[in-house]
Amino acid sequence: MCGIVGYVGHRQVLPLLMEGLRRLEYRGYDSAGVAVIQGGRLAVVKKQGKVRELDAALPVAGLSGSVGVAHTRWATHGEPSDANAHPHTDAGDRIGVVHNGIIENAAELRARLVADGVVFRSQTDTEVLAHLIAARPENSLVDAVRAALRQVKGAYGLAVVDAARPEAIVAARNGGPVVIGVGEGEMFVASDAVALLGHAKTVVHLDDGELAEVRADGFSVATLEGAETRKIPQALEGEASGFDRGDFAHFMKKEIAEQPEALRRTLLGRLDHRFSTAHLGGIELAAREMLDIRRVKILGCGSAYYSGVLGAHLIETLARIPAHAEPASEFRYRNPVIEQDTLYVAVSQSGETFDTLAAIQEVKRKGGRVMGVINAVGSTIARECGRGVYLHAGPEVAVVSTKTWTCTATAFALLALQLGRVRDLSAAQGARLLAGLSALPDQIAEIIAREAELAPLAARLAGSQHAYFIGRSAGFAVAMEGALKLKEISYLHAEAYAASELKHGPLALITSQTPVLAVLPDDDLLAKNLSTIAEVRTRQGPVLAITHPGVYAPDVEAAFAVPRSEPELDPILLNIPLQLLAYQVAQGLGREIDQPRNLAKSVTVE
Ligand code: F6R
């Protein structure tokens, strides 16, 4: 989704802004732009398309100045175009605004401004802000922005520059993330801390309802009402090298390959062999509190939700606590019952997904207790939860989740183990799971090394328009995630179905043109899954399978066998070939793998 970067300091701003925009590309966008204060006026260049097209549109001599803001836009109000790209300016080209989010009363404000004679140059809600700020009589930019924002309803993360007052950038937040990066004699503003890696060592996160005046030599933060707030800079975690594709053709491929290392980091320091349990210190639950949990409710969107489906299965199996996952995007709208003895778990890679944030705010508002399973340290959801589990998977740049799904599923295995061991899970069972968890990274590496064996499955899927992904129980969570990966990057229609449900409807659609990919572990449900496969074959449906070595499945046309883990952990390994399969199909079809159409890395709007 949209990205913001801004700089005020002593260096030439343009290269810094362009570098920041490139870092933000992974979030998905349709246009980009920069505004630099150059010789007392605002120089703006903006372009529909990719950052490289903006680069090509810049004057040969570049833009010279040491204060500026830049943006990648994901169209909401107004089609993707040069005119609708940010920054937006007032009629005098003095105020430059970059904005993430949606101004809900933009139409009303626009009508009022038009009646006052303002001529709009774009269809965006953001342009309203530039005109409102320019019209304010206040002496300082921060006061003018504050006064303008008091007229605005909606969600925003924004940064504003003023060519007449070039000493500061003003940033504000209400629902859209904003971080300030602290440098020496220079300061940064961004919507995502990754834009600041390698430049700022510490960052400050704005909270909703706060404005910051950011100058080269420092910053001050206050609320929209004008009350000063004290902020303590925190260390910025992460390496700029996470944003380098190295020799990989795509970030997705790199991130699939990184899984063994990422998983080792998720496990690091959390396996307690002495007591045969896991130790997740960040959940801040004493044994007695864990015993009091009567139910677990997991909330997330997309892949995060699917990892939660597996998580719920793990918790119910190992800890014998009723557990259920629900899309956060649905939960927040249905006036849910919130229970005191339920543990609510928010799952999010980015920690910025608006639906997930809104869901947990609703839980908290009604007195429920929430913890997070999050990758992005210091993100909005992580801070809103206040406790939980960080994945430490490293930055995930490809739009689709791969390594964070694996690390999240594993974090749930750790949580299930910890909850289980304060209940009825024996030490022997705990030790068995610890051994299984420790073996996962090497087993994943082994699967990745055998990627070429997936070619026959990829060829079969690439030649079809529709496919079913089926699985039972925890295998269904894997099927859902596998189908989503294929849909997202290959644009083929892949539908996940519980294998048990196939005969209750969609069997009618099975023909020789609809391959069925079965998640087929060698578990108690193998015979049931084989019966379903036979029903598919009776209708000429080609069957592919991700299975275990030694499984005899004569009806399966092509299969890939993953190494055996402990039965509860098998789904984590069964999912890895499905990531590679989606990648191979998309690559074969020539798709834009890292930035698929109509998808954003973090969905920060409703
Ligand atoms: C799938 C994918 C999305 C995200 C979803 C939630 O590959 O990337 O479905 O999983 O938008 O994102 P986070 O985890 O950042 O909350």
Side-chain angles (χ1 to χ4, degrees):
M1 296 238 114
C2 305
I4 289 174
V5 53
Y7 174 84
V8 47
H10 49 82
R11 287 193 271 171
Q12 278 299 324
V13 68
L14 186 64
L16 295 167
L17 295 179
M18 296 303 287
E19 184 191 343
L21 290 185
R22 280 186 208 102
R23 293 261 188 87
L24 295 174
E25 282 194 289
Y26 81 103
R27 300 166 64 92
Y29 68 102
D30 47 51
S31 48
V34 287
V36 171
I37 300 180
Q38 178 172 265
R41 53 173 290 274
L42 205 57
V44 179
V45 181
K46 44 196 204 164
K47 209 69 200 140
Q48 181 183 351
K50 298 288 174 198
V51 172
R52 60 175 176 269
E53 284 151 82
L54 172 67
D55 215 350
L58 289 167
V60 182
L63 301 173
S64 176
S66 54
V67 185
V69 288
H71 193 258
T72 47
R73 172 174 189 252
W74 171 273
T76 53
H77 282 51
E79 62 190 14
S81 68
D82 292 357
N84 286 338
H86 299 209
H88 288 284
T89 54
D90 65 306
D93 287 334
R94 181 170 66 81
I95 301 290
V97 181
V98 289
H99 162 226
N100 297 350
I102 295 172
I103 306 297
E104 283 161 15
N105 59 341
E108 182 191 321
L109 293 168
R110 191 184 181 103
R112 229 186 285 159
L113 286 160
V114 168
D116 289 347
V118 172
V119 178
F120 275 78
R121 292 181 280 193
S122 78
Q123 302 158 309
T124 64
D125 51 343
T126 304
E127 192 183 339
V128 163
L129 284 171
H131 296 297
L132 286 178
I133 296 166
R136 297 300 316 176
E138 284 79 6
N139 280 335
S140 73
L141 179 60
V142 69
D143 287 338
V145 174
R146 177 180 285 115
L149 288 179
R150 287 207 182 117
Q151 301 172 58
V152 158
K153 286 194 199 111
Y156 51 80
L158 54 87
V160 185
V161 284
D162 181 348
R165 292 174 281 202
E167 59 286 347
I169 298 176
V170 172
R173 171 188 173 136
N174 187 37
V178 177
V179 280
I180 300 168
V182 182
E184 277 179 28
E186 58 182 359
M187 301 285 279
F188 301 81
V189 171
S191 55
D192 183 335
V194 301
L196 310 180
L197 287 172
H199 291 300
K201 290 206 167 50
T202 54
V203 289
V204 165
H205 295 267
L206 291 193
D207 287 309
D208 281 346
E210 287 182 338
L211 279 91
E213 185 182 45
V214 183
R215 301 163 175 271
D217 60 358
F219 66 93
S220 55
V221 180
T223 63
L224 209 49
E225 289 73 40
E228 261 192 48
T229 41
R230 222 177 125 241
K231 295 282 190 183
I232 300 165
Q234 292 169 338
L236 174 59
E237 280 197 22
E239 301 282 329
S241 60
F243 291 81
D244 181 359
R245 251 193 299 116
D247 293 334
F248 290 92
H250 297 99
F251 276 106
M252 180 182 180
K253 193 67 186 294
K254 174 176 182 252
E255 287 156 11
I256 290 173
E258 281 172 352
Q259 289 180 108
E261 270 318 301
L263 197 55
R264 281 191 190 100
R265 287 195 297 273
T266 303
L267 294 173
L268 193 68
R270 289 167 167 172
L271 304 184
D272 179 347
H273 292 281
R274 183 166 171 225
F275 292 109
S276 301
T277 185
H279 179 70
L280 297 169
I283 63 176
E284 294 173 13
L285 287 172
R288 188 176 289 276
E289 290 173 287
M290 285 191 247
L291 279 176
D292 288 342
I293 297 169
R294 289 280 153 265
R295 212 186 298 271
V296 177
K297 179 77 162 180
I298 302 170
L299 300 166
C301 298
S303 288
Y305 161 59
Y306 296 142
S307 65
V309 174
L310 177 56
H313 183 87
L314 285 162
I315 290 167
E316 196 150 322
T317 305
L318 296 176
R320 305 307 295 158
I321 303 174
H324 184 248
E326 183 175 342
S329 48
E330 285 290 311
F331 176 87
R332 57 178 291 226
Y333 287 117
R334 66 169 181 81
N335 192 19
V337 174
I338 302 302
E339 297 165 312
Q340 290 295 318
D341 48 10
T342 294
L343 175 65
Y344 294 86
V345 184
V347 185
S348 179
Q349 183 287 127
S350 62
E352 302 294 347
T353 300
F354 188 80
D355 283 322
T356 309
L357 177 66
I360 58 170
Q361 284 172 337
E362 179 69 357
V363 172
K364 283 179 68 179
R365 191 184 64 76
K366 290 180 168 176
R369 61 181 158 168
V370 188
M371 56 161 267
V373 177
I374 312 276
N375 193 39
V377 175
S379 54
T380 307
I381 298 176
R383 286 181 302 124
E384 185 75 43
C385 290
R387 60 177 166 173
V389 186
Y390 276 129
L391 302 178
H392 303 301
E396 193 173 64
V397 178
V399 163
V400 293
S401 296
T402 52
K403 62 177 177 175
T404 54
W405 195 93
T406 303
C407 293
T408 306
T410 307
F412 273 118
L414 294 172
L415 179 64
L417 175 56
Q418 189 167 347
L419 292 173
R421 287 286 293 125
V422 295
R423 290 163 176 255
D424 294 333
L425 196 73
S426 69
Q429 294 288 359
R432 175 180 69 76
L433 287 157
L434 287 182
L437 286 162
S438 305
L440 286 177
D442 287 345
Q443 291 177 309
I444 292 174
E446 184 206 316
I447 296 171
I448 294 168
R450 290 171 38 226
E451 180 199 357
E453 293 172 36
L454 285 160
L457 288 80
R460 173 55 99 173
L461 289 173
S464 325
Q465 290 301 310
H466 308 277
Y468 279 94
F469 279 51
I470 60 168
R472 271 187 164 75
S473 191
F476 181 43
V478 175
M480 289 195 284
E481 172 61 8
L484 180 64
K485 277 308 81 103
L486 187 67
K487 274 190 276 229
E488 285 179 307
I489 57 168
S490 73
Y491 315 148
L492 296 179
H493 172 221
E495 189 172 343
Y497 232 87
S500 54
E501 282 283 301
L502 210 61
K503 61 179 175 298
H504 294 293
L507 261 188
L509 293 174
I510 302 294
T511 68
S512 60
Q513 304 307 307
T514 41
V516 174
L517 187 139
V519 178
L520 189 64
D522 187 7
D523 61 10
D524 319 353
L525 300 171
L526 178 62
K528 299 280 173 217
N529 280 324
L530 290 174
S531 305
T532 305
I533 287 172
E535 286 164 7
V536 171
R537 281 306 297 140
T538 307
R539 277 108 193 141
Q540 276 76 52
V543 181
L544 313 169
I546 306 298
T547 184
H548 279 135
V551 166
Y552 178 65
D555 284 331
V556 171
E557 177 184 302
F560 182 98
V562 301
R564 287 167 199 273
S565 177
E566 296 305 323
E568 300 88 340
L569 305 177
D570 279 334
I572 297 171
L573 296 181
L574 289 160
N575 180 57
I576 307 289
L578 296 182
Q579 301 171 342
L580 291 162
L581 197 53
Y583 180 84
Q584 287 186 12
V585 174
Q587 199 182 31
L589 295 172
R591 307 296 195 221
E592 259 215 58
I593 292 180
D594 280 340
Q595 286 165 38
R597 70 183 182 206
N598 299 339
L599 284 181
K601 184 65 185 161
S602 52
V603 185
T604 48
V605 294
E606 289 199 57

